[in-house]
């Protein structure tokens, strides 16, 4: 016990006795004693012990430094045999928060000793550190061990207490994502605190609660005032206590006093300076017209840093990068809550997909290809809640741009689309964020300055707020649920599920949405038009007419939240099965349109080529001449009529009919294109872009047809209804062999068959370069097509499962139709005629079948149900 006058755990004026642990290590040649077994040649440790006890008990000490000096003085004075000694003085219970403070010095009789080590052990406090949601929300205990190297040895008391207080105050306000950054910031504080006397500090930071199967996650860094070299050591300690291992590495066990040098130093990153994004971009522009790819052969310090940091993260998270390739896979988040949100999203995608002018000076042969898209969501604003709702989605792109080049491109695109600076998290025409970049971890912020408030002008990947944002995780989960997010070890699905589980029971705030464009085209704003005229490769996206909203959880949504959109069918054919030859002239079609909207139709489907079994071939010109005039007539309905108060027409119905959505029921791209330019807003294709049978023999022809259909839909930015059928729709045959997993009763095979067969087509349509945005696809199981009566009923009874996601935890492959809105077209079809024993199609309604309880289950619990109902 030693009496100190600088207080114990609490500061005090009065001297207080407190426990001190002393270790003396004496370098001495023991050969003679060993050979002769004569103590006179060696050191009598009992007498040294007595010296130490005397020193400790004889007087009060101001601080560790004065105790050190007395011990050295008395040891050399009373024991002339000692030439070289290392003293370790540990004051346990010295301060309120750390377990102990410690001073270690090595001195010979002659010299004064050139440096000493000052250590604070097990300084504990709470902090937000880590990337998991609960770590960010709840914070956790973190522990530090700091060892400062003071040179030369000083008699000035080192204020361990003030340094500990500064660290606690800073750490408790920090919110780093990584332990590395936290340790680095603590090192900085310590060096600044002791400026002038200490040149090096080693900080070991640990999260004792972070891992289940290990005592702690730890990193250790050594930092000096001259450079910021970072040393990573045992990034994640598993198995036996890492603490004791590390402590023995640092504690004094030898006489040289250089034990710190013995810690394994693995230089990971050398930071020469911090760089802002603009510097980095200038750098790229000034030095390279080619993207920097592959390993760090470049002299670009940012690139080196990034490479080094990603190496760091690789070690820490045990993730290995895939084989190097000449392009990157990147997930991007897109959001918009100002102007025409849908058109903004589409324009942004088109701009960064277009090689050419805006790549100028960024990368000569740069490309960005969108290869997958999520669904589209309308979301409540997060952070700043008083602003318009957002439209959010995500996409996967392939690019040969580097991450910083891509960020620069995204910023340019944001400007072109019309983003202007508002306040933080405020409204914006477009927001484009890089979510992930291959499996890399990138952070261009200087170590020690890696807070969430310090993003401007930097790049942080994975996006630092990714895991807290439902509006980002949900769309990512649409595309890559099994991707393991770097640094977390968790899949997107797991992160998403865990975020949802912390958010309380209000799934109704977000909706899946399907936008419908407005045709015929009108002009954009003059500014946008004149800008886009300079980029001839970019076709401006159409303005939005309206959008449909679907609850995310149809099984829990209330009836009012679960709006069913109604489709009326208008067959402009002489031979359609339900209304052929009734509506194939303009006056009849207009009168149908009026009555359909008055009866609640949300969309009218117009077809000029019957899919009736045995229907005759219709040439394209004939099909065009049947549908286009009708589309035009509906779009201009009442436009040139003078409102006549004596007219029997209800003007509002007239105006409604003029604005009603129209889908064009065709498998031909020429017909789709012309009908849409005339005013239709949607394509309804019973062949799902694979064309009728006569195309199927020629594989090139079928491929060309597919490409053309997809391109027209994509360029015109229209929703498409894609139906399941087999073979020639008009032959409507092949009921055979749905050889898919059925249950023991033989049921389920038809639904499974639809998933597989239509799923294959949808995948080809949505994925890959040139793919249609996922949010434009509505799927139709094709009731009455290639299915038996029992098969049709099975589809109706199990319609929900057609678009179900696989249950979480299941290892089955994902349903390729998961999450798509669903169209059910059952009315007037012959299988209903069979059930209802009605030969007149007009009486064959789904409601009729349901009311007769003929095995048609209730259809309310859907993402979407569209009754293909004739409303007349
Ligand atoms: N992964 C990233 N993707 C996009 N920007 C990033 C990323 N990491 C850092 N940044 C930086 O963030 C800064 C702010 O970006 P932006 O203006 O898009 O912020 P915000 O929209 O207010 O918030 P957020 O990006 O979190 O949605 C940019 O200057 C950019 O340099
Ligand atoms: N729902 C939603 N909220 C936000 C969004 C966003 O895209 N969607 N973007 C923000 C800033 O980037 C702030 N808040």
């Amino acid at each position: 016990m030693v009496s100190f006058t600088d207080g114990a755990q609490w500061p005090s004026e009065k001297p207080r006795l407190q426990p001190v642990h002393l270790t003396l290590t004496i370098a001495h040649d023991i050969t003679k004693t060993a050979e002769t077994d004569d103590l006179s040649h060696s050191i009598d440790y009992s007498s040294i012990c007595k010296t130490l006890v005397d020193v400790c008990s004889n007087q009060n000490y101001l601080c560790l430094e004065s105790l050190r000096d007395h011990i050295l003085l008395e040891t050399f004075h009373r024991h002339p045999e000692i030439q070289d000694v290392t003293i370790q003085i540990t004051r346990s219970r010295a301060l309120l928060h750390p377990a102990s403070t410690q001073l270690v010095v090595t001195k010979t009789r002659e010299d004064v000793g050139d440096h000493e080590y000052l250590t604070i052990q097990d300084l504990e406090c709470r902090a937000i550190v880590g990337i998991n949601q609960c770590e960010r929300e709840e914070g956790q205990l973190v522990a530090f061990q700091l060892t400062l190297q003071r040179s030369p040895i000083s008699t000035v008391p080192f204020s361990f207490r003030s340094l500990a207080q500064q660290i606690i105050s800073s750490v408790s306000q920090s919110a780093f994502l990584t332990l590395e950054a936290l340790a680095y910031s603590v090192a900085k504080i310590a060096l600044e605190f002791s400026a002038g006397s200490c040149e090096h500090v080693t900080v070991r930071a640990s999260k004792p609660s972070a891992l289940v199967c290990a005592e702690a996650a730890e990193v250790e860094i050594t930092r000096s005032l001259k450079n910021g070299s970072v040393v990573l050591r045992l990034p994640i300690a598993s198995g036996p206590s890492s603490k004791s291992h590390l402590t023995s590495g640092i504690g004094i066990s030898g006489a040289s006093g250089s034990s710190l040098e013995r810690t394994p130093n693995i230089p990971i990153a050398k930071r020469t300076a911090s760089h802002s994004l603009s510097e980095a971009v200038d750098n790229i522009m000034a030095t390279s017209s080619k993207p920097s790819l592959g390993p760090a052969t470049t002299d670009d310090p940012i690139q080196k840093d990034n490479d080094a940091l990603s190496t760091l993260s690789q070690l820490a998270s045990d993730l290995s990068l895939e084989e190097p390739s000449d392009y990157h896979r990147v997930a991007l988040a897109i959001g918009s809550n100002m102007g025409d949100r849908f058109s903004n999203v589409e324009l942004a995608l088109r701009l960064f997909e277009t090689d050419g002018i805006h790549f100028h000076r960024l990368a000569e042969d740069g490309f960005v290809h969108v290869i997958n898209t999520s669904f589209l969501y309308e979301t409540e604003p997060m952070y700043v809640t008083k602003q318009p709702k957002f439209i959010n989605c995500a996409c996967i792109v392939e690019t040969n741009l580097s991450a910083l080049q891509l960020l620069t491109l995204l910023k340019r695109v944001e400007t072109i689309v019309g983003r202007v600076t508002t306040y933080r998290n405020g409204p914006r025409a477009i927001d484009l964020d890089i979510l992930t970049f291959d499996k890399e971890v990138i952070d261009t912020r200087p170590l020690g300055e890696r807070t969430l408030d310090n993003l401007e002008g930097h790049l942080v990947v994975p996006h630092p707020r990714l895991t807290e944002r439902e509006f980002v995780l949900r769309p990512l989960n649409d595309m890559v649920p099994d991707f393991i997010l770097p640094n977390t070890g968790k899949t997107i699905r797991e992160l998403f599920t865990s975020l949802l589980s912390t958010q309380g029971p209000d799934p109704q705030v977000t909706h899946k949405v399907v936008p419908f464009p407005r045709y015929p085209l009108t002009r954009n704003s003059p500014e946008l038009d004149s800008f886009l005229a300079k980029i001839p490769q970019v076709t401006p996206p159409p303005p939005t007419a309206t959008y449909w909203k679907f609850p995310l959880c149809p099984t829990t949504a209330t009836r009012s939240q679960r709006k069913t959109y109604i489709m009326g069918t208008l067959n402009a054919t002489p031979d359609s099965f339900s209304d052929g030859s009734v509506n194939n002239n303009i006056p009849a079609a207009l009168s149908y349109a009026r009555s359909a909207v008055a009866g609640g139709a949300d969309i009218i489907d117009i077809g000029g080529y019957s899919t009736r079994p045995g229907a005759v071939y219709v040439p394209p010109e004939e099909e065009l001449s049947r549908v286009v005039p009708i589309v035009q007539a509906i779009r201009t309905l009442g436009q040139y009529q003078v409102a006549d108060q004596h007219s029997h027409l209800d003007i509002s119905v007239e105006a409604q009919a003029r604005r009603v959505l129209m889908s064009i029921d065709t498998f031909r791209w020429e017909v789709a294109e012309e009908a849409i330019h005339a005013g239709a807003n949607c394509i309804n294709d019973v062949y799902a872009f694979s064309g009728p049978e006569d195309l199927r023999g020629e594989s090139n022809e079928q491929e060309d047809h597919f490409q053309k259909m997809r391109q027209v839909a994509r360029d015109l930015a229209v929703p498409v209804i894609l139906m399941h059928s087999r073979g020639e729709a008009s032959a409507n045959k092949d009921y055979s062999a749905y050889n898919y997993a059925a249950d023991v009763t033989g049921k389920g095979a038809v639904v499974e068959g639809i998933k597989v067969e239509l799923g294959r087509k949808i995948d080809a349509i949505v994925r890959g370069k040139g793919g249609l945005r996922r949010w434009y696809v509505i799927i139709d199981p094709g009731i009455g097509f290639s299915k038996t009566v029992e098969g049709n009923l099975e589809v109706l009874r199990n319609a929900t499962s057609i678009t179900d996601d696989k249950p979480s935890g299941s290892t089955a492959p994902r349903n390729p139709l998961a999450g798509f809105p669903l169209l059910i077209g059952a009315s007037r079809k012959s299988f209903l005629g069979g059930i209802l024993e009605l030969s007149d199609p007009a009486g064959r309604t789904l409601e009729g079948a349901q009311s007769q309880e003929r095995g048609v289950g209730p259809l309310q619990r859907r993402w979407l149900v569209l009754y293909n109902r004739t409303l007349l």
Side-chain angles (χ1 to χ4, degrees), residues 589-613:
L590 290 181
S591 131
Y592 173 86
R594 287 187 198 101
S595 53
V597 296
D602 299 284
I603 186 165
I604 296 175
D605 186 45
I606 301 170
Y609 193 162
S610 172
T611 53
R612 184 172 65 91

PDB file of all heavy atoms in Angstrom, residues 589-613:
ATOM      1  N   ALA A 589     -67.817   1.446 -79.182  1.00  0.00           N
ATOM      2  CA  ALA A 589     -66.658   1.411 -78.277  1.00  0.00           C
ATOM      3  C   ALA A 589     -66.716   2.579 -77.308  1.00  0.00           C
ATOM      4  O   ALA A 589     -66.428   2.424 -76.112  1.00  0.00           O
ATOM      5  CB  ALA A 589     -65.372   1.465 -79.100  1.00  0.00           C
ATOM      6  N   LEU A 590     -67.120   3.778 -77.818  1.00  0.00           N
ATOM      7  CA  LEU A 590     -67.192   4.936 -76.917  1.00  0.00           C
ATOM      8  C   LEU A 590     -68.271   4.731 -75.867  1.00  0.00           C
ATOM      9  O   LEU A 590     -68.095   5.060 -74.690  1.00  0.00           O
ATOM     10  CB  LEU A 590     -67.469   6.213 -77.715  1.00  0.00           C
ATOM     11  CG  LEU A 590     -66.305   6.689 -78.598  1.00  0.00           C
ATOM     12  CD1 LEU A 590     -66.683   7.988 -79.332  1.00  0.00           C
ATOM     13  CD2 LEU A 590     -65.051   6.916 -77.758  1.00  0.00           C
ATOM     14  N   SER A 591     -69.337   4.184 -76.294  1.00  0.00           N
ATOM     15  CA  SER A 591     -70.415   3.975 -75.341  1.00  0.00           C
ATOM     16  C   SER A 591     -69.996   2.916 -74.309  1.00  0.00           C
ATOM     17  O   SER A 591     -70.293   3.037 -73.120  1.00  0.00           O
ATOM     18  CB  SER A 591     -71.692   3.645 -76.122  1.00  0.00           C
ATOM     19  OG  SER A 591     -72.306   2.544 -75.628  1.00  0.00           O
ATOM     20  N   TYR A 592     -69.217   1.926 -74.745  1.00  0.00           N
ATOM     21  CA  TYR A 592     -68.690   0.946 -73.783  1.00  0.00           C
ATOM     22  C   TYR A 592     -67.779   1.656 -72.776  1.00  0.00           C
ATOM     23  O   TYR A 592     -67.869   1.435 -71.562  1.00  0.00           O
ATOM     24  CB  TYR A 592     -67.895  -0.165 -74.487  1.00  0.00           C
ATOM     25  CG  TYR A 592     -67.218  -1.061 -73.484  1.00  0.00           C
ATOM     26  CD1 TYR A 592     -67.902  -2.132 -72.926  1.00  0.00           C
ATOM     27  CD2 TYR A 592     -65.923  -0.789 -73.023  1.00  0.00           C
ATOM     28  CE1 TYR A 592     -67.304  -2.927 -71.947  1.00  0.00           C
ATOM     29  CE2 TYR A 592     -65.322  -1.571 -72.058  1.00  0.00           C
ATOM     30  CZ  TYR A 592     -66.012  -2.640 -71.522  1.00  0.00           C
ATOM     31  OH  TYR A 592     -65.435  -3.400 -70.557  1.00  0.00           O
ATOM     32  N   ALA A 593     -66.893   2.527 -73.297  1.00  0.00           N
ATOM     33  CA  ALA A 593     -65.928   3.204 -72.419  1.00  0.00           C
ATOM     34  C   ALA A 593     -66.653   4.026 -71.361  1.00  0.00           C
ATOM     35  O   ALA A 593     -66.301   3.998 -70.182  1.00  0.00           O
ATOM     36  CB  ALA A 593     -65.007   4.098 -73.253  1.00  0.00           C
ATOM     37  N   ARG A 594     -67.709   4.762 -71.797  1.00  0.00           N
ATOM     38  CA  ARG A 594     -68.462   5.577 -70.833  1.00  0.00           C
ATOM     39  C   ARG A 594     -69.071   4.700 -69.756  1.00  0.00           C
ATOM     40  O   ARG A 594     -68.969   4.981 -68.566  1.00  0.00           O
ATOM     41  CB  ARG A 594     -69.588   6.341 -71.548  1.00  0.00           C
ATOM     42  CG  ARG A 594     -69.121   7.477 -72.383  1.00  0.00           C
ATOM     43  CD  ARG A 594     -70.324   8.276 -72.898  1.00  0.00           C
ATOM     44  NE  ARG A 594     -69.911   9.080 -74.024  1.00  0.00           N
ATOM     45  CZ  ARG A 594     -70.144   8.767 -75.306  1.00  0.00           C
ATOM     46  NH1 ARG A 594     -70.798   7.657 -75.621  1.00  0.00           N
ATOM     47  NH2 ARG A 594     -69.722   9.568 -76.252  1.00  0.00           N
ATOM     48  N   SER A 595     -69.721   3.641 -70.188  1.00  0.00           N
ATOM     49  CA  SER A 595     -70.404   2.818 -69.182  1.00  0.00           C
ATOM     50  C   SER A 595     -69.398   2.087 -68.303  1.00  0.00           C
ATOM     51  O   SER A 595     -69.633   1.857 -67.130  1.00  0.00           O
ATOM     52  CB  SER A 595     -71.368   1.832 -69.840  1.00  0.00           C
ATOM     53  OG  SER A 595     -70.673   1.101 -70.804  1.00  0.00           O
ATOM     54  N   ALA A 596     -68.231   1.753 -68.869  1.00  0.00           N
ATOM     55  CA  ALA A 596     -67.227   1.060 -68.048  1.00  0.00           C
ATOM     56  C   ALA A 596     -66.723   1.976 -66.941  1.00  0.00           C
ATOM     57  O   ALA A 596     -66.656   1.567 -65.783  1.00  0.00           O
ATOM     58  CB  ALA A 596     -66.069   0.607 -68.937  1.00  0.00           C
ATOM     59  N   VAL A 597     -66.391   3.226 -67.262  1.00  0.00           N
ATOM     60  CA  VAL A 597     -65.896   4.105 -66.188  1.00  0.00           C
ATOM     61  C   VAL A 597     -67.009   4.405 -65.195  1.00  0.00           C
ATOM     62  O   VAL A 597     -66.770   4.476 -63.989  1.00  0.00           O
ATOM     63  CB  VAL A 597     -65.235   5.415 -66.697  1.00  0.00           C
ATOM     64  CG1 VAL A 597     -63.998   5.138 -67.503  1.00  0.00           C
ATOM     65  CG2 VAL A 597     -66.195   6.267 -67.476  1.00  0.00           C
ATOM     66  N   ALA A 598     -68.218   4.577 -65.714  1.00  0.00           N
ATOM     67  CA  ALA A 598     -69.332   4.822 -64.787  1.00  0.00           C
ATOM     68  C   ALA A 598     -69.524   3.621 -63.872  1.00  0.00           C
ATOM     69  O   ALA A 598     -69.900   3.767 -62.705  1.00  0.00           O
ATOM     70  CB  ALA A 598     -70.616   5.107 -65.573  1.00  0.00           C
ATOM     71  N   GLY A 599     -69.236   2.460 -64.363  1.00  0.00           N
ATOM     72  CA  GLY A 599     -69.384   1.246 -63.542  1.00  0.00           C
ATOM     73  C   GLY A 599     -68.165   0.944 -62.696  1.00  0.00           C
ATOM     74  O   GLY A 599     -68.125  -0.070 -62.005  1.00  0.00           O
ATOM     75  N   GLY A 600     -67.133   1.802 -62.743  1.00  0.00           N
ATOM     76  CA  GLY A 600     -66.005   1.637 -61.825  1.00  0.00           C
ATOM     77  C   GLY A 600     -64.751   1.047 -62.443  1.00  0.00           C
ATOM     78  O   GLY A 600     -63.835   0.672 -61.709  1.00  0.00           O
ATOM     79  N   ALA A 601     -64.680   0.978 -63.756  1.00  0.00           N
ATOM     80  CA  ALA A 601     -63.460   0.410 -64.354  1.00  0.00           C
ATOM     81  C   ALA A 601     -62.286   1.359 -64.161  1.00  0.00           C
ATOM     82  O   ALA A 601     -62.422   2.570 -64.292  1.00  0.00           O
ATOM     83  CB  ALA A 601     -63.672   0.164 -65.843  1.00  0.00           C
ATOM     84  N   ASP A 602     -61.134   0.789 -63.832  1.00  0.00           N
ATOM     85  CA  ASP A 602     -59.911   1.578 -63.699  1.00  0.00           C
ATOM     86  C   ASP A 602     -59.086   1.544 -64.973  1.00  0.00           C
ATOM     87  O   ASP A 602     -58.219   2.378 -65.180  1.00  0.00           O
ATOM     88  CB  ASP A 602     -59.058   1.035 -62.551  1.00  0.00           C
ATOM     89  CG  ASP A 602     -59.786   1.116 -61.235  1.00  0.00           C
ATOM     90  OD1 ASP A 602     -59.860   2.237 -60.699  1.00  0.00           O
ATOM     91  OD2 ASP A 602     -60.316   0.091 -60.769  1.00  0.00           O
ATOM     92  N   ILE A 603     -59.333   0.545 -65.788  1.00  0.00           N
ATOM     93  CA  ILE A 603     -58.567   0.415 -67.027  1.00  0.00           C
ATOM     94  C   ILE A 603     -59.435  -0.345 -68.029  1.00  0.00           C
ATOM     95  O   ILE A 603     -60.228  -1.215 -67.641  1.00  0.00           O
ATOM     96  CB  ILE A 603     -57.219  -0.307 -66.772  1.00  0.00           C
ATOM     97  CG1 ILE A 603     -56.331  -0.325 -68.025  1.00  0.00           C
ATOM     98  CG2 ILE A 603     -57.430  -1.737 -66.259  1.00  0.00           C
ATOM     99  CD1 ILE A 603     -54.878  -0.696 -67.734  1.00  0.00           C
ATOM    100  N   ILE A 604     -59.289   0.012 -69.291  1.00  0.00           N
ATOM    101  CA  ILE A 604     -60.024  -0.706 -70.332  1.00  0.00           C
ATOM    102  C   ILE A 604     -59.011  -1.401 -71.231  1.00  0.00           C
ATOM    103  O   ILE A 604     -58.056  -0.769 -71.706  1.00  0.00           O
ATOM    104  CB  ILE A 604     -60.899   0.259 -71.158  1.00  0.00           C
ATOM    105  CG1 ILE A 604     -61.967   0.883 -70.249  1.00  0.00           C
ATOM    106  CG2 ILE A 604     -61.564  -0.468 -72.317  1.00  0.00           C
ATOM    107  CD1 ILE A 604     -62.803   1.951 -70.932  1.00  0.00           C
ATOM    108  N   ASP A 605     -59.219  -2.674 -71.413  1.00  0.00           N
ATOM    109  CA  ASP A 605     -58.303  -3.472 -72.221  1.00  0.00           C
ATOM    110  C   ASP A 605     -58.881  -3.583 -73.629  1.00  0.00           C
ATOM    111  O   ASP A 605     -60.010  -4.051 -73.808  1.00  0.00           O
ATOM    112  CB  ASP A 605     -58.177  -4.862 -71.572  1.00  0.00           C
ATOM    113  CG  ASP A 605     -57.123  -5.713 -72.255  1.00  0.00           C
ATOM    114  OD1 ASP A 605     -56.036  -5.179 -72.526  1.00  0.00           O
ATOM    115  OD2 ASP A 605     -57.386  -6.914 -72.489  1.00  0.00           O
ATOM    116  N   ILE A 606     -58.101  -3.144 -74.604  1.00  0.00           N
ATOM    117  CA  ILE A 606     -58.617  -3.108 -75.971  1.00  0.00           C
ATOM    118  C   ILE A 606     -57.840  -4.093 -76.836  1.00  0.00           C
ATOM    119  O   ILE A 606     -56.610  -4.005 -76.935  1.00  0.00           O
ATOM    120  CB  ILE A 606     -58.505  -1.687 -76.555  1.00  0.00           C
ATOM    121  CG1 ILE A 606     -59.303  -0.738 -75.645  1.00  0.00           C
ATOM    122  CG2 ILE A 606     -59.003  -1.628 -77.992  1.00  0.00           C
ATOM    123  CD1 ILE A 606     -59.091   0.715 -75.943  1.00  0.00           C
ATOM    124  N   GLY A 607     -58.547  -5.015 -77.434  1.00  0.00           N
ATOM    125  CA  GLY A 607     -57.869  -6.028 -78.253  1.00  0.00           C
ATOM    126  C   GLY A 607     -58.460  -6.080 -79.652  1.00  0.00           C
ATOM    127  O   GLY A 607     -59.665  -5.913 -79.839  1.00  0.00           O
ATOM    128  N   GLY A 608     -57.597  -6.311 -80.645  1.00  0.00           N
ATOM    129  CA  GLY A 608     -58.065  -6.394 -82.028  1.00  0.00           C
ATOM    130  C   GLY A 608     -57.783  -7.754 -82.637  1.00  0.00           C
ATOM    131  O   GLY A 608     -57.845  -7.930 -83.852  1.00  0.00           O
ATOM    132  N   TYR A 609     -57.410  -8.709 -81.822  1.00  0.00           N
ATOM    133  CA  TYR A 609     -57.059 -10.034 -82.338  1.00  0.00           C
ATOM    134  C   TYR A 609     -57.501 -11.029 -81.271  1.00  0.00           C
ATOM    135  O   TYR A 609     -56.911 -11.093 -80.198  1.00  0.00           O
ATOM    136  CB  TYR A 609     -55.549 -10.094 -82.564  1.00  0.00           C
ATOM    137  CG  TYR A 609     -55.026 -11.274 -83.371  1.00  0.00           C
ATOM    138  CD1 TYR A 609     -53.755 -11.214 -83.947  1.00  0.00           C
ATOM    139  CD2 TYR A 609     -55.773 -12.431 -83.560  1.00  0.00           C
ATOM    140  CE1 TYR A 609     -53.241 -12.272 -84.690  1.00  0.00           C
ATOM    141  CE2 TYR A 609     -55.270 -13.491 -84.294  1.00  0.00           C
ATOM    142  CZ  TYR A 609     -54.014 -13.417 -84.856  1.00  0.00           C
ATOM    143  OH  TYR A 609     -53.522 -14.475 -85.582  1.00  0.00           O
ATOM    144  N   SER A 610     -58.516 -11.784 -81.579  1.00  0.00           N
ATOM    145  CA  SER A 610     -59.097 -12.665 -80.565  1.00  0.00           C
ATOM    146  C   SER A 610     -58.153 -13.807 -80.188  1.00  0.00           C
ATOM    147  O   SER A 610     -57.444 -14.350 -81.037  1.00  0.00           O
ATOM    148  CB  SER A 610     -60.400 -13.265 -81.087  1.00  0.00           C
ATOM    149  OG  SER A 610     -60.860 -14.244 -80.180  1.00  0.00           O
ATOM    150  N   THR A 611     -58.177 -14.157 -78.919  1.00  0.00           N
ATOM    151  CA  THR A 611     -57.395 -15.316 -78.460  1.00  0.00           C
ATOM    152  C   THR A 611     -58.309 -16.537 -78.324  1.00  0.00           C
ATOM    153  O   THR A 611     -57.955 -17.540 -77.740  1.00  0.00           O
ATOM    154  CB  THR A 611     -56.738 -15.037 -77.091  1.00  0.00           C
ATOM    155  OG1 THR A 611     -57.765 -14.600 -76.203  1.00  0.00           O
ATOM    156  CG2 THR A 611     -55.651 -14.014 -77.201  1.00  0.00           C
ATOM    157  N   ARG A 612     -59.529 -16.404 -78.849  1.00  0.00           N
ATOM    158  CA  ARG A 612     -60.507 -17.498 -78.798  1.00  0.00           C
ATOM    159  C   ARG A 612     -59.940 -18.738 -79.502  1.00  0.00           C
ATOM    160  O   ARG A 612     -59.288 -18.620 -80.543  1.00  0.00           O
ATOM    161  CB  ARG A 612     -61.761 -17.015 -79.535  1.00  0.00           C
ATOM    162  CG  ARG A 612     -62.940 -17.931 -79.544  1.00  0.00           C
ATOM    163  CD  ARG A 612     -64.116 -17.181 -80.143  1.00  0.00           C
ATOM    164  NE  ARG A 612     -63.881 -16.842 -81.567  1.00  0.00           N
ATOM    165  CZ  ARG A 612     -64.238 -17.623 -82.587  1.00  0.00           C
ATOM    166  NH1 ARG A 612     -64.826 -18.779 -82.375  1.00  0.00           N
ATOM    167  NH2 ARG A 612     -64.024 -17.245 -83.825  1.00  0.00           N
ATOM    168  N   PRO A 613     -60.194 -19.920 -78.924  1.00  0.00           N
ATOM    169  CA  PRO A 613     -59.723 -21.131 -79.611  1.00  0.00           C
ATOM    170  C   PRO A 613     -60.255 -21.158 -81.045  1.00  0.00           C
ATOM    171  O   PRO A 613     -61.438 -20.880 -81.284  1.00  0.00           O
ATOM    172  CB  PRO A 613     -60.305 -22.271 -78.784  1.00  0.00           C
ATOM    173  CG  PRO A 613     -60.585 -21.683 -77.434  1.00  0.00           C
ATOM    174  CD  PRO A 613     -60.868 -20.237 -77.650  1.00  0.00           C
TER     175      PRO A 613
END
